[in-house]
Amino acid sequence: MTTICDSAAAAVAGIEDGATVLIGGFGLAGMPIRLIDALIDQGATDLTVVSNNAGNGDTGLAALLAKGRVRKMICSFPRQSDSHVFDGLYREGRIELELVPQGNLAERMRAAGAGIGAFFCPTGVGTPLAEGKETREIDGRTYVLEYPIKGDVALIGGHRADRMGNVVYRKTARNFGPVMATAAATTIVQVREVVEVGELDPEAVVTPGIYVDRVVAV
Amino acid sequence: MTLSKDQMAARVARDIAHGAYVNLGIGQPTLVADHLGAESGVVLHTENGMLNMGRAAVGDEVDQDLVNAGKIPVVEPPGAAYFHSADSFAMMRGSHLDVCVLGAFQVSAAGDLANWHTEAPDAIPAVGGAMDLAIGAKSVFVMMTLFAKDGTAKLVPECTYPLTGVGCVSRVYTDLAVFELGGGTDGRDVAVVETFGTSYDELAQRLAVPLRRAHDRG
């Protein structure tokens, strides 16, 4: 059952120190900035954050990193023109980085949400990112064994939700949202608008409410 | 005359089949889009979750929810489709994408690609979708200058930088020549398809890879 929260603070209540937090967004598109701001105020620390990038500019994920709340980043593309917060922490040895190819990041979370124990993937074969991992040849091609990434919490930026927790996204802000929503024990979605039941076209729902625990309109 | 970046992009575009589904990597490869008009029938894929991606947005068209893989705002032409990140990478690995065009630090004669990490002491590694694209697209084209600024060749017998993918590159488009890889009995012959402002003999002198003329197919 989905709870519609009155505030971002209520939406992020109970996130524990040491939690693994999946944070949606590709750069700032789809990044749940208000939920991240609320998480900063809430105070949870020693977090492992899974997100495609490692913060852009000084808002959202970058602000959470700047507060020293993140022990480890799992992401595909940390280095960008505006990733100065992460860059500084990394060079000072104050944050751990696990680099994952973007498709593996998505598929490992998809596997977590779909009850798949592990999967063989051709990405990264023969590269440093597959070193030490189990491989298998299937029909003449080599694959690497990849394990799921499961979150304690997912923070996602949607567009609209109804009171049953069904979510639609907007344009490329969808990115990791639908996959992360399935992969966390508690999924929290910020949307621009919460609408009444029946107002979303059931054919257009991207994330069904079964995956969504809390929604807040911001 | 050697080719400018724009002329290289036009040369790449000439080899993309009508109606192909194509992903253009961040940086120089995005220039290829300028030479793929509506008459090309080409559908651009961007790994952050869009097909039939449009040109860069200008002025009022800018929408932070609508960006390309380089996080540049783009427009939504008729016929566009959005999807989440796991679907986007399934399209690559599942062999649905015809061509990707990537930049490179080095390409080996056997088609190994190195384009994500220089191992420079201060470098922060970032891979993004490069490894997934390298093994996923049916054809991987590389677009790069043939020689680095310090004069060293980027088409090499073996890559010295960490690999992105093994044996994945089929064609290399440079300012001095177009090469086709994967020929010869051991798959290590490099065929020179076309030269610009240089000659086959000159290239044979400057490169350490085994060259042959493209029309000498054995």
Side-chain angles (χ1 to χ4, degrees), chain A residues 26-27 29 53 76-80 87 91 99 102-103 107 123 125 127 141 170-173 175-176 192, chain B residues 63-67 69 71 76 82 84-86 89 93 116 122 124-125 127-129 131-132 135 163-164 166:
Chain A
F26 188 89
N53 305 107
S76 87
F77 207 76
R79 185 199 63 227
Q80 295 167 93
D87 297 359
R91 292 196 168 116
L99 197 67
Q102 196 173 140
E107 194 64 15
T123 303
V125 168
T127 77
R141 192 175 192 193
R170 190 166 170 275
K171 304 186 186 287
T172 58
N175 58 71
F176 283 86
R192 296 180 174 106
Chain B
D63 178 341
Q64 295 306 328
D65 283 346
L66 180 47
V67 297
K71 302 176 182 78
E76 174 195 281
Y82 298 111
H84 62 64
S85 300
F89 285 87
R93 284 189 307 266
W116 69 284
D122 207 28
I124 295 173
V127 68
M131 287 189 182
D132 313 88
I135 58 90
L163 293 187
T164 307
V166 176

Side-chain angles (χ1 to χ4, degrees), chain B residues 142-211:
Chain B
V142 160
M143 179 175 160
M144 66 180 190
T145 57
L146 186 53
F147 294 93
K149 287 197 179 95
D150 66 1
T152 54
K154 291 155 79 173
L155 182 57
V156 293
E158 298 286 344
C159 294
T160 52
Y161 289 133
L163 293 187
T164 307
V166 176
C168 56
V169 178
S170 56
R171 286 192 154 227
V172 181
Y173 296 83
T174 74
D175 47 343
L176 295 173
V178 176
F179 303 92
E180 196 170 281
L181 307 186
T185 47
D186 63 352
R188 284 177 176 271
D189 267 15
V190 175
V192 180
V193 176
E194 199 176 341
T195 59
F196 314 106
T198 186
S199 66
Y200 176 88
D201 291 336
E202 204 170 62
L203 287 175
Q205 270 186 356
R206 295 182 72 189
L207 296 174
V209 298
L211 293 185

Side-chain angles (χ1 to χ4, degrees), chain A residues 1-16 19-25 30-40 42 44 47 50 151-162 165-169 173-174 176-192 194 207-218:
Chain A
M1 170 134 180
T2 306
T3 305
I4 308 297
C5 300
D6 292 334
S7 66
V12 303
I15 297 179
E16 293 179 2
T20 295
V21 184
L22 317 179
I23 299 184
M31 183 177 285
I33 289 182
R34 294 288 294 278
L35 291 177
I36 298 169
D37 286 346
L39 177 58
I40 291 170
Q42 188 259 9
L47 303 172
V50 184
D152 296 305
V153 180
L155 304 182
I156 289 164
H159 181 49
R160 280 198 190 97
D162 69 15
N166 298 308
V167 177
V168 294
Y169 300 84
R174 180 183 306 198
F176 283 86
V179 178
M180 289 180 170
T182 69
T186 301
T187 291
I188 306 167
V189 185
Q190 77 166 56
V191 291
R192 296 180 174 106
V194 174
T207 294
I210 191 169
Y211 296 117
V212 178
D213 298 281
R214 304 175 196 168
V215 169
V216 63
V218 296

Side-chain angles (χ1 to χ4, degrees), chain A residues 29-100:
Chain A
M31 183 177 285
I33 289 182
R34 294 288 294 278
L35 291 177
I36 298 169
D37 286 346
L39 177 58
I40 291 170
D41 294 340
Q42 188 259 9
T45 192
D46 196 31
L47 303 172
T48 293
V49 168
V50 184
S51 193
N52 186 57
N53 305 107
N56 299 76
D58 296 288
T59 58
L61 179 51
L64 183 68
L65 295 175
K67 295 278 184 192
R69 303 284 178 73
V70 181
R71 181 179 62 80
K72 179 180 180 183
M73 270 305 312
I74 301 177
C75 70
S76 87
F77 207 76
R79 185 199 63 227
Q80 295 167 93
S81 57
D82 59 354
S83 61
H84 45 268
V85 173
F86 175 83
D87 297 359
L89 290 168
Y90 183 79
R91 292 196 168 116
E92 289 164 18
R94 289 168 60 203
I95 195 161
E96 198 182 324
L97 170 66
E98 181 182 340
L99 197 67
V100 179

